[in-house]
Amino acid sequence: MTTFSVKFPHFSASIGLRDLVDEVGAEPPGGRLTVGDARIRDFLAEFSRRLLRPDLARRHPELGSLGFFLRKGELTRAVARLGDGAAGRRRAPRGLVLHFPPANVDTIFVYSWALSALAGNHNIVRISQRSAGAAEAVLEALNNALAGADPAVAQTQRMVTYPRDDDLTAALTAACDLRVLWGGDESVTALRRHPLRPLARELAFPDRSSFAAISVEGWRAASPHQRRTAVAGLANDLFWFDQAACSSPRTLCWVGDPDAVRAARAEFTGLLAQEVAARGQTVDPAMAMEKYVATYGLAATGAATRVTFAGTALAEVDLAGVAELQRGWLGAGTVCHVTVPSLAELAVAIRRKDQTLSHFGFAQADLDDFVTALAGRGLDRIVPFGQALTFAGVWDGLDLLHEFTRIITIAA
């Protein structure tokens, strides 16, 4: 029978299914975990400090956002927002939570797991055998943070890998109280073949698509420093995770008069090329070929009217219209441009599958009116350039810490 390779706590020998479930489900030393448990909070804070060390941040800049998210003060505020202790209401953990994170965004599992652990749950995280780079750095930091941690952390939390095995996945699913699925539509559908217990619940985060938008008026009103900062932020959104995350923008929508757009876009494109060059951003030959095939394929179908490349790192595509918003992955560093006269024109093209709109140059009132015009068509997040890939406790419209707990009502 296939066994699990444990990656946390500690890198250890394989373990069987029954031993894994029994160990992680046992009551820890010092008593069961509670919502906002200090033992977990202290461990996550130490883990955060390790992620924020300059040497690690230089090698994996995306881990800086994760470290910031897990700071002790942020965790305390997150727990406080639950409002536990209000008259007649208490929060309790859900129990055993099973996580299936995606392989293409190799740190997302930490956000999901950390919030679930903070909610007092025991957790099993199945890490893809294809994960590498930042994921390995995260596991090393987690294990190093165990040195001063309460034994309850190691007792109640497991991160494991195992080859694809439907029997093991079905058995884990049958043991959990909450299943969390991240990944493509096909992966989510395949995992849903395994039934949950009647009282168990599920959170699913399948394929999503995201865009960016610039107000031409806002761009023209911005200072040179603000423009460069916006371009640097968009560059992060484009190149982190190879532009394959659900919140990575695929199309950049220019909002305003077409003549004004042309002038603003020329400056923007020049600044973006400078930013990419200053970072020494490159893509490997396989990725470059992927981009050539994908972008010229759009031109062949009429979806694009023009394709240009600045080296291999940056590809720019002029779309035929707002109906051609690109939702599929076209390769890291691909910017599809389209011009619309107003955000209201963009709103009618949005679908339920669409998740994030990153933006620059819009006033709060503009964005509020845009959400009204959406009328529930889609989008769960509207954030400034540079924050598209910044994880938040509310994701895909769900408050995760709330979802990882249950409410007990008390009447005297």
Side-chain angles (χ1 to χ4, degrees):
M1 180 180 178
T2 305
T3 56
F4 302 90
S5 176
V6 179
K7 299 296 184 181
F8 173 83
H10 310 298
F11 295 91
S12 61
S14 298
I15 187 173
L17 171 68
R18 181 43 52 198
D19 288 339
L20 173 65
V21 173
D22 287 347
E23 285 181 11
V24 81
E27 181 160 335
R32 293 187 65 82
L33 299 179
T34 58
V35 175
D37 198 291
R39 294 169 289 181
I40 296 294
R41 205 182 305 188
D42 289 345
F43 172 73
L44 292 176
E46 174 59 26
F47 174 49
S48 168
R49 285 191 287 270
R50 292 176 181 274
L51 292 179
L52 291 172
R53 288 178 176 174
D55 58 330
L56 186 58
R58 281 193 297 271
R59 285 187 287 128
H60 301 287
E62 66 272 31
L63 296 185
S65 294
L66 174 57
F68 189 84
F69 180 82
L70 294 175
R71 290 177 307 153
K72 193 167 188 176
E74 291 295 315
L75 300 178
T76 300
R77 284 187 285 273
V79 173
R81 285 192 293 270
L82 280 174
D84 194 26
R89 292 163 65 94
R90 292 293 304 276
R91 291 271 178 179
R94 288 201 172 272
L96 178 60
V97 181
L98 176 62
H99 305 256
F100 290 94
N104 65 326
V105 184
D106 53 8
T107 56
I108 197 74
F109 73 91
V110 189
Y111 292 99
S112 174
W113 161 77
L115 287 174
S116 180
L118 184 64
N121 294 302
H122 298 214
N123 292 274
I124 297 175
V125 183
R126 190 272 173 103
I127 299 172
S128 170
Q129 292 182 305
R130 293 183 286 128
S131 293
E136 294 302 315
V138 162
L139 289 169
E140 182 179 358
L142 279 169
N143 282 309
N144 289 339
L146 274 176
D150 189 281
V153 177
Q155 172 70 52
T156 59
Q157 313 298 318
R158 293 289 185 280
M159 296 180 186
V160 301
T161 63
Y162 65 95
R164 183 168 298 185
D165 186 311
D166 284 346
D167 290 337
L168 282 184
T169 299
L172 285 175
T173 294
C176 76
D177 298 293
L178 175 65
R179 179 172 64 185
V180 185
L181 307 179
W182 301 81
D185 291 351
E186 290 184 6
S187 297
V188 169
T189 299
L191 287 166
R192 279 178 165 168
R193 294 200 311 265
H194 306 296
L196 292 161
R197 294 188 293 185
L199 279 177
R201 300 183 72 247
E202 178 182 271
L203 298 177
F205 302 92
D207 280 334
R208 303 297 298 273
S209 47
S210 297
F211 312 108
I214 293 181
S215 163
V216 175
E217 288 186 7
W219 177 264
R220 294 167 71 176
S223 67
H225 173 72
Q226 289 171 324
R227 295 178 187 180
R228 288 187 176 277
T229 300
V231 168
L234 184 66
N236 287 340
D237 295 342
L238 290 174
F239 286 99
W240 283 5
F241 306 120
D242 286 339
Q243 208 176 342
C246 59
S247 53
S248 301
R250 309 284 168 78
T251 299
L252 176 57
C253 305
W254 290 86
V255 181
D257 176 75
D259 290 335
V261 165
R262 278 190 284 274
R265 181 179 158 184
E267 180 186 12
F268 176 89
T269 299
L271 290 175
L272 182 58
Q274 291 174 25
E275 179 70 22
V276 170
R279 297 180 181 203
Q281 195 77 52
T282 59
V283 299
D284 60 41
M287 177 74 76
M289 183 57 66
E290 182 91 29
K291 289 165 66 173
Y292 276 107
V293 171
T295 55
Y296 283 107
L298 292 177
T301 63
T305 59
R306 180 168 162 267
V307 177
T308 57
F309 278 79
T312 58
L314 189 61
E316 296 197 79
V317 179
D318 288 16
L319 298 177
V322 72
E324 304 297 341
L325 289 177
Q326 290 302 298
R327 293 175 169 84
W329 183 71
L330 300 170
T334 302
V335 187
C336 296
H337 296 267
V338 68
T339 299
V340 292
S342 67
L343 281 175
E345 292 291 324
L346 175 61
V348 298
I350 295 297
R351 302 175 188 169
R352 185 65 192 93
K353 182 185 183 73
D354 301 331
Q355 185 214 59
T356 298
L357 180 75
S358 50
H359 64 87
F360 178 78
F362 297 97
Q364 182 70 39
D366 297 327
L367 301 175
D368 286 339
D369 290 344
F370 175 56
V371 171
T372 300
L374 283 172
R377 289 184 182 89
L379 293 182
D380 297 311
R381 301 172 66 233
I382 299 176
V383 298
F385 279 5
Q387 295 184 27
L389 299 169
T390 300
F391 193 86
V394 176
W395 197 257
D396 281 10
L398 298 172
D399 189 320
L400 294 185
L401 202 52
H402 281 262
E403 298 292 336
F404 287 136
T405 61
R406 56 189 178 88
I407 299 173
I408 301 173
T409 56
I410 308 167

